[in-house]
Amino acid sequence: MEFDLIELIRQRTAQSRDDVRLGMGDDAALLAVPPGQELAVAIDTLVDGVHFPHGSAAADIGWKALAVNLSDLAAMGASPAWALLALTLPTGDAAFVEGFVDGFAQLAQPHRLALVGGDTTRGPLTVSVAVHGFVPPGRALTRAGARVGDVVLVTGTLGDAAAGLHALQQPRRNDEGSSGPREFLLDRLNRPVPRLAAGIALREQAHACVDVSDGLLADLRHICVASGVGAEIDASLLPLSSALLGLHDDSTALHFALSGGDDYELCFCVPASRVAQVQADLARLGCGATRIGRIVAGEGVRVRGQDGAWLDIASSGWEHFA
Ligand code: ADP
Ligand code: MG
């Protein structure tokens, strides 16, 4: 049975690459890092009911398990090449594995990512994906390197995934079509798009970069700590989708955008002189980039509210909202 599942995974993820000397099927894969490139590696685990809602569609889980990893490569400015997949399944459910692998492959194929191996075990539904990508030596984007005076930007829109999770917990209204704001937000939750092209474009431009997986405040704080700086954000500048604003009042939308996780956008810092160029480049790549604040001396992240006063984001309601 397990062999059949592995064979099914192999067939549905077929992707030939010259740098895969030996792919799935042996005791280990043999891979050739192209000369003159550094290898960027990352791994993330998704646990049923923790990192995705219990009962999520198999294809959504497959997509997301890969997407969250590719988002880490995007944040480093790396181009993806290979992946490993460790699947822990409660039963040998071939229909689930088919759906899962189809969602995985849907995202893998356009990036020519090859699944080169993994492990299949029995237990509570858990998915680990490890990804490998290439980056020119010394050119990777890191969390360190932000400088006082840099402008802070973010791709796409923020808070959608948190609003999608909130929507899942509400009963669906009968009068809602399949293309309404609720569906948009659920799609943002279930099918995050890793900003790989943006990450590569930012390699020559940004001083620091992080992907927004735990929420803007938490992730921008990582840049601040790694770079030894502080950041000031303007709440009025945060990019919010019309779907988010259509379903929530301004204050709830702001909470989602600041503290909600799972958006997988890139937050990055560039010198002011490069902002226009970066915005033009990222607009061309389809995700756009919005300036939301700047890097300052000191530490921590402060948020200026609509009225110009600093928001009290340290009080618990902000960090643990929703
Ligand atoms: P081993 O006992 O040597 O670990 P396995 O039976 O676990 O071998 O796996 C056989 C082959 O199938 C290996 O090449 C392994 O990398 C691959 N494989 C197993 N499970 C998966 C999976 N979920 N995704 C991708 N490849 C897998
Ligand atoms: Mg094994």
Side-chain angles (χ1 to χ4, degrees), residues 120-131:
T120 308
T121 55
R122 204 172 277 248
L125 179 58
T126 305
V127 183
S128 287
V129 174
V131 288

Side-chain angles (χ1 to χ4, degrees), residues 15-318:
Q15 171 72 65
S16 80
R17 291 181 61 105
D18 290 346
D19 52 21
V20 179
R21 304 286 196 255
L22 188 58
M24 283 179 64
D26 216 301
D27 291 315
L30 296 173
L31 308 168
V33 180
Q37 299 281 311
E38 279 176 359
L39 190 61
V41 298
I43 184 167
D44 262 311
T45 297
L46 271 58
V47 177
D48 185 16
V50 179
H51 302 99
F52 55 85
H54 182 71
S56 293
D60 287 344
I61 302 170
W63 174 288
K64 190 160 181 171
L66 179 56
V68 303
N69 277 281
L70 292 184
S71 179
D72 284 327
L73 290 187
M76 300 298 292
S79 13
W82 314 313
L84 295 167
L85 166 64
L87 259 184
T88 303
L89 302 166
T91 63
D93 180 353
F96 178 88
V97 174
E98 271 175 34
F100 177 93
V101 174
D102 285 350
F104 184 99
Q106 220 185 324
L107 179 57
Q109 254 152 23
H111 297 293
R112 297 200 54 248
L113 178 103
L115 182 64
V116 297
D119 198 21
T120 308
T121 55
R122 204 172 277 248
L125 179 58
T126 305
V127 183
S128 287
V129 174
V131 288
H132 309 69
F134 309 139
V135 65
R139 310 303 319 179
L141 291 168
T142 68
R143 297 173 177 187
R147 294 176 210 166
V148 174
D150 279 355
V151 175
V152 180
L153 297 97
V154 67
T155 60
T157 55
L158 293 173
D160 296 331
L165 188 60
H166 180 269
L168 264 189
Q169 291 148 2
Q170 310 297 311
R172 189 173 183 282
R173 296 209 326 260
N174 290 331
D175 57 347
E176 252 240 312
S178 60
S179 58
R182 185 178 193 277
E183 302 308 312
F184 172 87
L185 298 173
L186 288 178
D187 202 55
R188 291 275 289 156
L189 174 69
N190 293 324
R191 298 279 176 141
V193 176
R195 301 303 188 187
L196 285 158
I200 291 168
L202 288 172
R203 221 150 56 188
E204 307 301 320
Q205 305 287 347
H207 284 156
C209 184
V210 71
D211 67 321
V212 182
S213 54
D214 297 331
L216 177 70
L217 289 178
D219 290 311
L220 180 54
R221 212 170 278 138
H222 292 320
I223 285 185
C224 289
V225 170
S227 301
V229 296
E232 293 178 357
I233 297 303
D234 264 299
S236 61
L237 297 180
L238 294 174
L240 307 179
S241 69
S242 53
L244 176 62
L245 290 170
L247 291 185
H248 295 282
D249 60 43
D250 287 359
S251 143
T252 308
L254 181 59
H255 280 296
F256 285 146
L258 288 174
S259 303
D262 262 11
D263 282 319
Y264 300 101
E265 297 295 347
L266 298 181
C267 175
F268 56 95
C269 306
V270 300
S273 60
R274 291 186 200 152
V275 169
Q277 183 63 53
V278 163
Q279 285 185 308
D281 291 347
L282 269 53
R284 213 173 305 117
L285 293 174
C287 60
T290 305
R291 59 191 300 165
I292 59 170
R294 61 195 188 97
I295 296 296
V296 296
E299 58 183 37
V301 180
R302 297 207 288 175
V303 182
R304 198 180 287 106
Q306 316 272 7
D307 59 359
W310 298 112
L311 298 181
D312 182 13
I313 54 175
S315 72
S316 61
W318 286 88

